[in-house]
């Protein structure tokens, strides 16, 4: 894994946006895998700036989001559909037909999961997958546990993740307990992976991830060690656990 340490969140966001921009310039019809959460917000802001001020053209790009809460309506401000439109898609020129986010409203969720993987395959596969990381090492909503699902699937969120997400909801009962997430199979077929981590809260998990080359379902992110083209970009405070 190649590690990039940046002074602060702004610099981290810029380096992430530069990597996305370079991929789009190299391959205008690139397929991007996209995360939500607090970490990529600065990257999306910088990409919007590049689009508006520097003419970055995303009209050929296709996107696949990593995950969506199960049973949430898309006009709920906490849904990832809402987040992606609000924070990125509404401000750039990605064609709506090329935007893919797991459809959690579908009556047959298993079929939708299967179709999501088929759509990724038919697109030619993900060129650049951008990831955040949970405090517990989750990637997408692939949570620590006994086993790891490779395909897109519906999953129970761990207590730790529900608690981490609770800050965004009015009360605990409203926090989704399930999500649909791309599995490690989909993530690992990406040709290049960029993992982002910001803030002191991520120092421990980044220390664990980079402090060992072993893989374990207890730290889902550790599976990234198998991939040959991973960049881990972190802010200085998230790098505090590194020797
Ligand atoms: C979101 C996602 C999650 C987040 C992770 C970190 O699409 O896949 O795995 O990347 O929970 O979230 P933040 O960035 O809010 O710390």
């Amino acid at each position: 894994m190649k590690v990039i340490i940046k002074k602060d969140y702004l610099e981290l966001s810029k380096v992430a946006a530069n990597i996305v921009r370079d991929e789009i310039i190299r391959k205008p019809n690139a397929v991007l895998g996209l995360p939500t959460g607090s970490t990529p917000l600065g990257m999306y802001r910088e990409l919007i700036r590049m689009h508006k001020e520097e003419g970055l053209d995303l009209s050929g790009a296709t996107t696949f989001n990593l995950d969506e809460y199960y049973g949430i309506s898309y006009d709920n401000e906490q849904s990832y559909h809402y987040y992606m439109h609000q924070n990125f898609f509404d401000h750039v020129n990605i064609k709506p037909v090329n935007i893919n986010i797991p459809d959690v409203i579908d009556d047959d969720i298993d079929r939708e999961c299967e179709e999501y993987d088929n759509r990724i395959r038919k697109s030619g596969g993900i060129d650049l997958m951008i990831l955040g990381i949970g405090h517990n090492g989750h990637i997408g909503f692939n949570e620590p546990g006994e086993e790891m699902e490779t395909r897109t699937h519906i999953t129970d969120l761990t207590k730790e993740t529900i608690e981490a997400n609770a800050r965004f909801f009015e009360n605990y009962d409203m926090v989704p307990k399930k999500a649909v997430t791309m599995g490690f199979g989909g993530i690992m077929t990406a040709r290049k992976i960029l993992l982002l981590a910001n803030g002191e809260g991520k120092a421990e998990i980044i220390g664990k991830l980079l402090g060992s080359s072993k893989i374990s379902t207890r730290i889902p992110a550790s599976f990234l060690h198998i991939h040959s083209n991973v960049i881990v970009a972190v802010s200085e405070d998230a790098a505090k656990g590194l020797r």
Side-chain angles (χ1 to χ4, degrees), residues 161-224:
T161 298
I162 295 167
E163 277 163 11
N165 292 339
R167 66 191 195 275
F168 300 116
F169 292 84
E170 253 171 61
N171 60 58
Y172 191 84
D173 289 343
M174 292 169 89
V175 190
K177 312 292 185 295
K178 284 178 185 285
V180 169
T181 182
M182 211 184 272
F184 257 89
I187 294 166
M188 297 293 275
T189 53
R191 285 177 266 280
K192 184 174 190 170
I193 296 178
L194 170 64
L195 175 78
L196 303 174
N198 174 58
E200 215 171 325
K202 298 287 168 70
E204 191 183 336
I205 189 65
I206 289 297
K208 277 189 196 159
L209 174 65
L210 297 177
S212 162
S213 55
K214 292 192 176 133
I215 58 169
S216 163
T217 55
R218 286 195 297 270
I219 304 180
S222 66
F223 278 73
L224 298 175

Side-chain angles (χ1 to χ4, degrees), residues 5-225:
I5 300 176
K6 285 288 162 185
K7 176 166 78 60
D8 55 25
Y9 181 59
L10 191 64
E11 293 301 312
L12 174 69
S13 301
K14 281 187 185 164
V15 81
N18 287 347
I19 291 170
V20 177
R21 179 203 54 203
D22 291 351
E23 185 64 26
I24 293 291
I25 289 172
R26 188 188 70 80
K27 187 177 176 190
N29 62 347
V31 180
L32 304 174
L34 298 178
T36 54
S38 52
T39 312
L41 283 172
M43 176 191 76
Y44 290 134
R45 267 195 298 272
E46 178 61 7
L47 284 169
I48 293 168
R49 189 200 64 72
M50 287 173 172
H51 170 68
K52 292 199 164 48
E53 293 176 14
E54 296 169 7
L56 177 66
D57 181 12
L58 291 151
S59 62
T62 294
T63 63
F64 285 92
N65 264 81
L66 267 174
D67 43 21
E68 176 59 285
Y69 291 124
Y70 179 64
I72 203 161
S73 76
Y74 300 155
D75 56 4
N76 183 323
E77 291 184 17
Q78 299 309 330
S79 78
Y80 289 165
H81 277 75
Y82 189 95
Y83 168 112
M84 286 307 300
H85 286 278
Q86 187 81 357
N87 294 306
F88 191 44
F89 296 144
D90 288 355
H91 312 283
V92 293
N93 64 340
I94 297 176
K95 295 193 180 106
V97 63
N98 290 339
I99 292 172
N100 298 278
I101 307 176
D103 179 9
V104 295
I105 306 295
D106 197 303
D107 285 343
D108 187 345
I109 205 71
D110 291 336
R111 195 202 51 196
E112 162 59 13
C113 289
E114 205 180 319
E115 274 178 12
Y116 203 67
D117 286 335
N118 286 338
R119 290 213 293 279
I120 296 175
R121 252 191 305 277
K122 279 188 201 144
S123 75
I126 294 170
D127 292 296
L128 173 61
M129 177 91 236
I130 301 130
L131 302 171
I133 183 169
H135 298 99
N136 61 1
H138 73 207
I139 294 288
F141 281 126
N142 294 280
E143 298 277 38
E146 291 278 301
E147 296 175 330
M148 199 72 70
E149 175 59 70
T150 53
R151 294 171 301 183
T152 296
H153 60 286
I154 183 163
T155 185
D156 292 323
L157 301 179
T158 57
K159 193 165 167 276
E160 198 174 358
T161 298
I162 295 167
E163 277 163 11
N165 292 339
R167 66 191 195 275
F168 300 116
F169 292 84
E170 253 171 61
N171 60 58
Y172 191 84
D173 289 343
M174 292 169 89
V175 190
K177 312 292 185 295
K178 284 178 185 285
V180 169
T181 182
M182 211 184 272
F184 257 89
I187 294 166
M188 297 293 275
T189 53
R191 285 177 266 280
K192 184 174 190 170
I193 296 178
L194 170 64
L195 175 78
L196 303 174
N198 174 58
E200 215 171 325
K202 298 287 168 70
E204 191 183 336
I205 189 65
I206 289 297
K208 277 189 196 159
L209 174 65
L210 297 177
S212 162
S213 55
K214 292 192 176 133
I215 58 169
S216 163
T217 55
R218 286 195 297 270
I219 304 180
S222 66
F223 278 73
L224 298 175
H225 284 298

